[in-house]
Amino acid sequence: RVMNDVKTGLQVVENERRIHLSRAYLEGYVDLQDLASQEAVAGLEIADAASVLDYCAGGGGKALALADQFRCTVSAHDIAVARMVDIPARADRAGVTIAVLETAELTQRTFDVVFVDAPCSGSGTWRRAPEAKWAISSEKLHGYSTLQLEVLSKAAELVAEGGQLIYATCSVLNKENGAVLAAFLAANSSFVKVRDAQRLPDALGDGFFHAVLRRS
């Protein structure tokens, strides 16, 4: 069934653990992604033919969503190259093209849109894994916010003039979201915030934060 106002969002109502064996999945009609991530991507405005980089790509979920919903050129990067090993097969199954780039290949390049789904505490996913909240500490949270600001600052260097920088986490904690964003903007006067949004966890999806910044 369709979920909320996200036209790409479908909820599997039975045998959800067997999606990867279904004909729809194997033939590339569907892939797995939480509703919160779909909402964030669906709300973006990306011009046709724009160059887009999924900077902390991991398995490529955001890159796949971007390639599916916009007529743009999508690339994926992750500092840990091994995390991206499944992207070519996922892209081929979905019928889209995603260039997988290593760090050295980003030198002297800029993109119209850079999407940064930063490493975080994962507090927005605790509805599915409540035991994870016992593993967090103030020291770990400080470490995440420091890393997030560092990652966001590096990604900002790849944004073309007039381009967009999207900062996202699957966290509901201000220390990882609004506070990081404020620190970045204070140190980078060439970027302005267009909007931000905090989704709280519910029965349909995880908690998720994202902010759209523009390079002036």
Side-chain angles (χ1 to χ4, degrees):
R1 70 187 182 197
V2 178
M3 300 175 70
N4 288 10
D5 296 323
V6 181
K7 64 181 181 180
T8 59
L10 299 173
Q11 182 180 22
V12 179
V13 296
E14 61 181 46
N15 293 327
E16 63 272 13
R17 296 185 180 277
R18 297 176 64 84
I19 295 174
H20 67 289
L21 299 177
S22 69
R23 178 178 176 184
Y25 177 84
L26 294 173
E27 295 185 2
Y29 292 104
V30 300
D31 209 309
L32 301 176
Q33 189 172 55
D34 189 80
L35 179 65
S37 296
Q38 294 185 51
E39 286 179 338
V41 172
L44 299 178
E45 295 182 4
I46 299 178
D48 290 352
S51 56
V52 180
L53 175 66
D54 182 3
Y55 186 68
C56 298
K62 304 298 187 306
L64 284 168
L66 290 161
D68 174 65
Q69 296 185 46
F70 301 100
R71 296 177 180 177
C72 57
T73 301
V74 179
S75 301
H77 165 270
D78 198 289
I79 193 169
V81 178
R83 294 175 187 158
M84 301 187 291
V85 66
D86 293 331
I87 292 180
R90 293 181 74 184
D92 183 64
R93 186 173 66 244
V96 298
T97 300
I98 298 174
V100 176
L101 305 178
E102 297 188 18
T103 302
E105 297 177 272
L106 298 179
T107 305
Q108 305 300 317
R109 291 193 61 174
T110 59
F111 299 83
D112 298 314
V113 180
V114 178
F115 195 111
V116 183
D117 189 1
C120 71
S121 65
S123 58
T125 69
W126 288 351
R127 72 185 181 96
R128 294 187 285 111
E131 70 281 359
K133 64 185 176 182
W134 301 115
I136 197 68
S137 66
S138 58
E139 291 78 12
K140 287 183 179 180
L141 190 58
H142 177 73
Y144 278 124
S145 62
T146 300
L147 176 61
Q148 288 151 0
L149 182 57
E150 178 183 337
V151 170
L152 186 58
S153 298
K154 288 183 177 179
E157 298 174 0
L158 302 172
V159 181
E161 291 186 8
Q164 297 182 71
L165 176 61
I166 318 299
Y167 174 65
T169 73
C170 53
S171 174
V172 295
L173 304 177
N174 182 65
K175 188 173 179 64
E176 299 182 277
N177 299 332
V180 170
L181 193 60
F184 172 81
L185 291 172
N188 295 271
S189 59
S190 62
F191 283 88
V192 295
K193 185 177 75 173
V194 177
R195 60 179 176 82
D196 62 10
Q198 174 72 71
R199 187 191 198 281
L200 298 178
D202 58 25
L204 296 179
D206 293 339
F208 198 82
F209 173 86
H210 76 281
V212 178
L213 311 179
R214 185 172 298 279
R215 187 167 202 164
S216 59

